[in-house]
Amino acid sequence: MGKTVIMVEDAGKYDLKAIGRDAKGDVEDIQRVKFRAKMYDMDKGFAEAEGNSYKIELDGKTSIVGEQGEDGSNETSKTSLLHKLCAYAAITEYLEPNTKDNHIKMVLACPITILKNAEAKEEYKNYIKGNGIIKVKVNDKDYEFEIDDVTIKAEDSGIVYLNPEWFEGKKVALLGFGGLNMNFTLFENSVAVPSSRFSIEYGSNRLIINLADTLSVALKGENVLFSDAEKALNEGVLTSAKKPRPETISVIEKFKIDFVKEVKEELKKRGYNLDLMDEIVAVGGTVSKIESALKDVIRKEINIPAEPQWASVEGLYKIAYLKYLKK
């Protein structure tokens, strides 16, 4: 027997995050899904979908998405097979295999670059929505569903609905640190209508790549891999042969400070002085990695939600509830 699922998806450049539930279920049934936005083409050779990964077959082509995928290019367009496969793999987490008459009603987070172009926005919406019943095989199980409706909202915008008190009647800068970009959105006395929004390339990828170079210089030319730098960023210290290297702690802390200073200066060059804002709000998965630097460089009272990587998705779920469930 099929079901109707109400959900939010943010198919980001670094990972996919989704929140949803069966429309007939209770609040306690809300489920989160999160995995890396990476893909491996099975035409290259057989591979197992290990870890937090999905083997997915769509239109006769088999791929792996998730942790076991390969890091791709820094392509900024989301209208790609990767993001469609990630979106569909996430949907199957809310369904039972071998069932029919499944219907999806979705709020879809859209990148600012696409949101500004009406044609691109519609293309992105229709690309994910599909036309009619969608049949996929995920981890060797058959799923069938139809996406009835898609509501497009700007990525990062969910925090406005989650914490409206941070925005109402104020001049607020919203900083959304994602995988490739940092989104800047300015609100001036209106929660509903931002007065300015744009993206700059200050996301976690740049952060980690630059940290790897910085650590390599500090360690007199030792090679530091991307994965090692990412782990060091998360833990605050570089580890070699399972042993922390204390001399890298101060290097990493200074690097975070310098990174946030660079972001602040870049915004100032574009005419946006963060010191003149009533409030600053920061969301996105990268925020937890640089929170102390954000407070040191920008302001101690910066508004950061308890779960910055989930905050916008949680907020957009309020929109999904009001549009698809409450009425």
Side-chain angles (χ1 to χ4, degrees):
M1 183 178 177
K3 63 174 70 172
T4 297
V5 174
I6 309 302
M7 68 184 304
V8 176
E9 283 199 354
D10 184 353
K13 305 173 190 74
Y14 182 81
D15 59 20
L16 177 139
K17 293 181 287 290
I19 293 178
R21 79 176 209 231
D22 184 341
K24 293 182 179 179
D26 298 320
V27 174
E28 292 76 15
D29 297 324
I30 293 175
Q31 179 184 351
R32 290 182 177 187
V33 175
K34 179 176 179 288
F35 56 88
R36 284 295 307 276
K38 300 195 296 180
M39 179 174 70
Y40 174 75
D41 187 343
M42 292 284 275
D43 287 344
K44 296 180 179 180
F46 178 78
E48 293 285 352
E50 299 176 339
N52 189 16
S53 302
Y54 303 81
K55 182 174 76 171
I56 179 167
E57 182 180 333
L58 177 67
D59 299 330
K61 183 176 179 62
T62 304
S63 308
I64 292 175
V65 295
E67 183 182 345
Q68 196 68 16
E70 296 177 325
D71 284 309
S73 67
N74 291 343
E75 177 191 3
T76 57
S77 172
K78 288 190 179 180
T79 307
S80 65
L81 178 62
L82 167 62
H83 292 97
K84 176 183 280 191
L85 294 178
C86 287
Y88 291 177
I91 286 172
T92 64
E93 286 282 7
Y94 299 88
L95 304 176
E96 295 296 329
N98 302 310
T99 59
K100 299 181 182 297
D101 199 30
N102 293 303
H103 295 270
I104 312 299
K105 299 181 188 297
M106 176 191 299
V107 172
L108 188 61
C110 180
I112 289 173
T113 51
I114 292 178
L115 197 68
K116 288 184 173 182
N117 184 308
E119 184 177 343
K121 175 182 170 182
E122 195 66 18
E123 179 188 354
Y124 176 50
K125 174 181 176 178
N126 291 332
Y127 185 76
I128 300 297
K129 183 177 183 294
N131 185 20
I133 295 173
I134 296 164
K135 296 181 179 182
V136 294
K137 185 186 288 285
V138 177
N139 294 337
D140 298 319
K141 296 178 181 178
D142 292 310
Y143 294 88
E144 185 175 303
F145 57 88
E146 184 170 1
I147 303 176
D148 296 335
D149 191 66
V150 175
T151 299
I152 295 289
K153 289 289 182 180
E155 58 187 359
D156 303 323
S157 67
I159 189 64
V160 173
Y161 309 102
L162 192 65
N163 293 96
E165 71 279 4
W166 290 349
F167 296 87
E168 291 169 348
K170 302 170 186 176
K171 184 176 183 180
V172 183
L174 171 59
L175 312 179
F177 289 91
L180 290 183
N181 298 326
M182 187 210 76
N183 296 324
F184 175 86
T185 308
L186 178 65
F187 295 89
E188 297 182 274
N189 299 319
S190 174
V191 175
V193 183
S195 59
S196 179
R197 55 171 40 142
F198 57 84
S199 296
I200 55 178
E201 291 186 2
Y202 281 88
S204 63
N205 271 26
R206 176 170 179 166
L207 184 66
I208 296 166
I209 289 169
N210 290 354
L211 177 58
D213 291 340
T214 300
L215 286 170
S216 181
V217 171
L219 297 173
K220 300 179 181 179
E222 286 188 38
N223 187 35
V224 178
L225 300 176
F226 182 94
S227 57
D228 296 327
E230 183 175 21
K231 188 171 183 287
L233 184 65
N234 292 332
E235 298 179 351
V237 62
L238 181 68
T239 301
S240 297
K242 298 183 179 181
K243 293 183 179 180
R245 303 183 65 169
E247 70 271 25
T248 64
I249 294 175
S250 59
V251 175
I252 295 170
E253 285 305 308
K254 182 179 183 302
F255 171 81
K256 292 178 182 179
I257 293 288
D258 291 343
F259 179 83
V260 176
K261 284 181 178 178
E262 192 175 341
V263 170
K264 187 177 180 181
E265 284 304 306
E266 178 63 28
L267 290 174
K268 197 170 184 178
K269 288 177 186 176
R270 293 169 179 253
Y272 300 95
N273 187 344
L274 296 182
D275 294 333
L276 302 180
M277 302 293 168
D278 296 328
E279 301 281 357
I280 312 270
V281 180
V283 297
T286 306
V287 169
S288 58
K289 307 176 196 298
I290 58 172
E291 182 171 348
S292 61
L294 289 169
K295 291 180 177 179
D296 287 344
V297 175
I298 295 179
R299 66 177 61 170
K300 185 178 180 181
E301 300 80 13
I302 187 171
N303 290 314
I304 297 174
E307 295 183 286
Q309 67 176 322
W310 284 101
S312 184
V313 186
E314 291 276 7
L316 292 180
Y317 183 77
K318 290 179 175 287
I319 300 299
Y321 173 81
L322 290 172
K323 181 168 184 177
Y324 300 124
L325 277 175
K326 192 171 183 181
K327 71 177 184 179

